[in-house]
Amino acid sequence: MEARLNLFANPVAAGALKHIIAAGKVIGESTLPAATRELVLLRASQINGCAFCVDMHSKDAAHAGETSVRLNLVAAWREAKVFTDAERAALELAEQGTRIADAAGGVGDEVWANAAKHYDEEQLGALVSLIAVINAFNRLNVITQQPAGDYQPGQFG
């Protein structure tokens, strides 16, 4: 499989990616726990069917010490006993934030309130921004059919 478009060689796409990557770096410097970030990145990518991002974020999370049990259970987190209440709140927010078009009301008040119980204002800002950024990356990769499987942990810095 070959990508429809080389995002880094296309001047417009590369310019847009530069800004999306910069946003991701700001989020990475926040106080939102790294494990939570990785779980959210993986779950949104699963929902969006972005094989490139599923490959990347599962490998990066494993490289950072995340267990295979937790990584394998992200897709079925509601029935899994291995996630904290805070991680569950983040995963639910990620799911509703990713599936905005599927629900007339967007993210429910109850889901937001639950996330706000576990995360402070900075962390909520990081979490919302992270969900937006990964959805942008997922869409770029799915639309252009970026192939998956060759990613090496830390490949992009």
Side-chain angles (χ1 to χ4, degrees):
M1 176 180 208
E2 291 208 21
R4 291 175 169 160
L5 181 69
N6 182 334
L7 296 171
F8 293 104
N10 180 288
V12 174
L17 277 171
K18 176 182 165 184
H19 294 287
I20 298 170
I21 290 166
K25 288 182 181 179
V26 172
I27 297 162
E29 295 168 357
S30 75
T31 60
L32 185 65
T36 301
R37 287 194 311 265
E38 291 298 338
L39 295 173
V40 165
L41 292 169
L42 181 56
R43 185 65 190 126
S45 299
Q46 290 171 336
I47 291 167
N48 287 324
C50 183
F52 184 88
C53 288
V54 168
D55 181 42
M56 180 168 118
H57 297 300
S58 61
K59 287 176 179 175
D60 281 347
H63 185 74
E66 190 59 74
T67 68
S68 60
V69 170
R70 283 170 44 95
L71 290 175
N72 291 333
L73 288 172
V74 167
W77 63 269
R78 283 178 181 82
E79 293 81 27
K81 301 187 294 184
V82 297
F83 302 106
T84 67
D85 288 343
E87 289 168 339
R88 290 174 176 285
L91 288 165
E92 180 68 19
L93 185 63
E95 285 194 5
Q96 286 199 9
T98 297
R99 293 184 165 135
I100 288 174
D102 297 343
V107 173
D109 291 339
E110 195 174 297
V111 170
W112 181 261
N114 190 34
K117 279 191 331 194
H118 298 285
Y119 300 100
D120 64 26
E121 286 288 316
E122 178 188 334
Q123 292 169 326
L124 285 170
L127 191 52
V128 169
S129 298
L130 182 66
I131 294 164
V133 165
I134 192 58
N135 275 278
F137 275 123
N138 290 164
R139 281 151 177 75
L140 285 165
N141 289 327
V142 170
I143 290 166
T144 60
Q145 295 184 341
Q146 297 299 315
D150 295 333
Y151 178 80
Q152 298 298 312
Q155 178 176 323
F156 296 119

